Amino acid sequence: MIYIKKRLLFVNGHLNVGGVEKSLVDLLKAIDYDKYEVDLVLFEELGDYVDEIPKDVNIKFYDLTNTYGAFFKCIFRNLKANKFKYVFIRIIFNLQRIFGVSTISLLKSLFKDLGTYDCAIAYRIGICSEFVAYVVDAKKKITWWHHGSYDYNEEQTKTIEQVYDKFDYVVSVSQGCKNMILENMNISSEKIVVIPNIIDFEDIKKKSLEKIEDNLFDKDFVNIVSIGRLSPEKGMINCIFSCKQLVDLGYKIKWFLIGDGVEYEKIKTEIEKNKLEEKVFLLGRKKNPYSYLRHAYIYVHPSYVESMSITVLEAMCLDKPLVVTRSIGPSEFIRSGENGLLVDASVDGIVNGVKHLINNKDLYKKLSCKDKVVLDKYKKENIREQLYNLIKEGDANDR
């Protein structure tokens, strides 16, 4: 019997270091390529994770950065470079502002080489979901929701609802996010399916063993690691103020921040202002943060907003005691005092959580053991089957 592979399409902006991109890479690694033929469309750049994409994935890169910038400058720049395709795309993007989101369907002729898919998956909201909704031909369409907060006004919400009407399913990475979507959008509850991101324990463990810089971590200090984008909603700047309080209280602290973002300079300034140059270290963006996380005495996650909180679960994989600020994602799996500490999203909350772990050795030992029951929910085998079931849902050939 000859098995005809199903054609799948994934659409995302790029593959740079980030939670969404990491979850996409892990999902692509989990797919059975004897059963599925997979294309991946990217719109901005290939990115840091591109070498981790399985060789069976066919990457199609359309560089929409060519459409960035002031309208007339963009048009003239592309005309001069004979990039007529991007001239047309930019014009359509401008027409969208006047005639609405469905105007993007005028781009179908430019992307007819993609053909027809059994299932097309938009992995981000915005251009990715709009592209799949109006440009891609597919028997089934699925879009992912990764946001831990709802920051859209009434007009934007109506646009999202219009786009989502073209999809068979909206995948939310947590029940809390599903509830948030239902509270803010006019969308059927049955259309929203909860499928969390994959946490690949074996891959994390393997990568954690890679060598890092010598003498970075000091065993005479409490080494704290925090991983996240350096942006306001991630609360990374609170690590500086928390470190200052703990140092002033006499604790020997070294705090390592892994990530990059718009608040880099602001955080650097606060480090210098508080004379913490020998206490707080900005390590920048790391493709493999696990080799640093392995050396942490405590993992602190200071974010105000998390849809699922991948890095918290990754730290749990490596048996790190957790101090995690409350938000939608971690509140679903952290049982405070049992498998981590949930604290207020504030400097005082973080400081009290860290002090509690340092001063209470029994609690520290208890929280140094991974919660296998929680982590099993995020195993790639479980998540893969949930995706397969969604792709096959309603398909008479797979019943």
Side-chain angles (χ1 to χ4, degrees):
M1 179 179 176
I2 298 175
Y3 185 87
I4 300 175
K5 292 183 180 181
K6 286 184 178 290
R7 292 194 75 217
L8 303 185
L9 172 68
F10 288 83
V11 179
N12 200 54
H14 56 77
L15 292 175
N16 280 325
V17 171
V20 174
E21 287 66 37
K22 178 64 167 58
S23 69
L24 173 57
V25 171
D26 287 339
L27 190 58
L28 290 172
K29 286 180 178 179
I31 289 174
D32 183 349
Y33 291 95
D34 290 330
K35 296 180 179 179
Y36 295 96
E37 177 185 322
V38 179
D39 288 347
L40 170 63
V41 164
L42 298 173
F43 286 138
E44 293 174 307
E45 58 181 305
L46 298 181
D48 306 296
Y49 291 135
V50 69
D51 60 343
E52 293 192 38
I53 297 296
K55 60 179 177 57
D56 299 282
V57 175
N58 180 29
I59 297 177
K60 296 177 178 289
F61 180 47
Y62 304 100
D63 191 0
L64 293 190
T65 62
N66 287 311
T67 67
Y68 293 0
F71 179 73
F72 288 109
K73 284 185 178 180
C74 172
I75 297 298
F76 290 135
R77 183 177 68 245
N78 283 295
L79 285 173
K80 188 176 180 180
N82 294 322
K83 295 180 178 179
F84 303 112
K85 181 177 188 174
Y86 294 105
V87 171
F88 184 58
I89 292 174
R90 180 53 193 270
I91 291 171
I92 298 304
F93 284 168
N94 267 50
L95 289 176
Q96 272 189 286
R97 300 176 186 175
I98 303 170
F99 298 106
V101 66
S102 62
T103 309
I104 197 174
S105 62
L106 295 173
L107 296 178
K108 288 191 76 166
S109 61
L110 292 183
F111 296 94
K112 61 184 179 181
D113 61 304
L114 291 174
T116 300
Y117 292 92
D118 292 286
C119 183
I121 298 169
Y123 215 66
R124 273 190 182 273
I125 197 171
I127 183 60
C128 299
S129 58
E130 293 166 11
F131 182 80
V132 170
Y134 293 102
V135 179
V136 173
D137 286 324
K139 298 173 185 176
K140 181 173 291 180
K141 297 184 178 184
I142 302 170
T143 186
W144 244 256
W145 179 281
H146 297 275
H147 298 291
S149 64
Y150 196 89
D151 304 316
Y152 301 98
N153 60 34
E154 186 176 346
E155 182 179 350
Q156 291 169 325
T157 296
K158 288 180 179 178
T159 298
I160 296 169
E161 289 172 349
Q162 185 180 343
V163 173
Y164 279 9
D165 189 54
K166 299 292 183 181
F167 285 89
D168 297 281
Y169 295 104
V170 176
V171 173
S172 169
V173 295
S174 67
Q175 182 62 44
C177 281
K178 176 177 178 176
N179 296 339
M180 180 180 64
I181 294 169
L182 291 172
E183 289 169 4
N184 288 280
M185 281 197 279
N186 183 20
I187 184 171
S188 168
S189 175
E190 288 73 25
K191 194 170 188 173
I192 308 175
V193 180
V194 176
I195 301 180
N197 296 315
I198 291 171
I199 305 297
D200 191 338
F201 171 70
E202 292 303 324
D203 186 57
I204 291 167
K205 185 176 179 181
K206 179 182 176 181
K207 288 180 177 178
S208 74
L209 299 177
E210 290 183 9
K211 186 175 175 58
I212 62 170
E213 303 92 318
D214 292 332
N215 304 317
L216 185 62
F217 292 86
D218 192 331
K219 292 182 179 180
D220 293 329
F221 286 75
V222 173
N223 294 295
I224 300 174
V225 172
S226 296
I227 303 170
R229 189 167 61 252
L230 305 186
S231 55
E233 74 277 9
K234 294 300 183 180
M236 294 287 273
I237 198 167
N238 285 341
C239 297
I240 313 307
F241 307 130
S242 300
C243 184
K244 173 64 174 172
Q245 282 198 27
L246 289 163
V247 169
D248 288 347
L249 289 169
Y251 291 95
K252 296 182 69 176
I253 301 289
K254 284 196 173 184
W255 207 311
F256 302 87
L257 305 186
I258 298 176
D260 200 359
V262 295
E263 288 202 324
Y264 182 92
E265 290 300 328
K266 184 177 181 180
I267 290 173
K268 183 180 178 183
T269 298
E270 288 298 336
I271 292 172
E272 294 168 353
K273 186 188 299 183
N274 288 282
K275 297 181 172 54
L276 294 172
E277 292 92 339
E278 300 300 317
K279 305 294 183 183
V280 182
F281 304 89
L282 287 168
L283 301 184
R285 191 170 69 187
K286 298 291 182 184
K287 182 181 174 182
N288 175 16
Y290 316 119
S291 53
Y292 297 86
L293 184 55
R294 177 169 63 93
H295 296 276
Y297 185 77
I298 297 170
Y299 177 76
V300 172
H301 199 71
S303 184
Y304 294 106
V305 174
E306 288 293 346
S307 57
M308 190 185 116
S309 202
I310 293 174
T311 54
V312 172
L313 289 159
E314 291 172 336
M316 184 185 288
C317 283
L318 296 178
D319 296 314
K320 299 304 169 183
L322 310 169
V323 176
V324 184
T325 53
R326 287 185 182 86
S327 62
I328 286 177
S331 294
E332 289 191 10
F333 60 83
I334 294 291
R335 301 185 309 280
S336 197
E338 295 296 322
N339 60 0
L341 292 181
L342 270 180
V343 300
D344 291 338
S346 65
V347 173
D348 287 343
I350 294 169
V351 169
N352 290 334
V354 171
K355 283 167 55 182
H356 199 31
L357 278 178
I358 294 174
N359 297 335
N360 189 330
K361 299 300 180 184
D362 290 336
L363 178 64
Y364 181 89
K365 184 177 180 180
K366 178 181 180 181
L367 300 187
S368 296
C369 299
K370 66 176 67 68
D371 189 330
K372 293 181 180 179
V373 174
V374 165
L375 292 175
D376 277 350
K377 296 178 183 178
Y378 305 95
K379 289 171 64 174
K380 64 181 178 181
E381 294 82 5
N382 294 336
I383 307 305
R384 177 176 58 201
E385 286 309 308
Q386 292 178 61
L387 175 62
Y388 286 175
N389 290 336
L390 207 58
I391 292 170
K392 295 175 183 177
E393 184 73 30
D395 188 341
N397 295 325
D398 290 294
R399 286 173 185 167

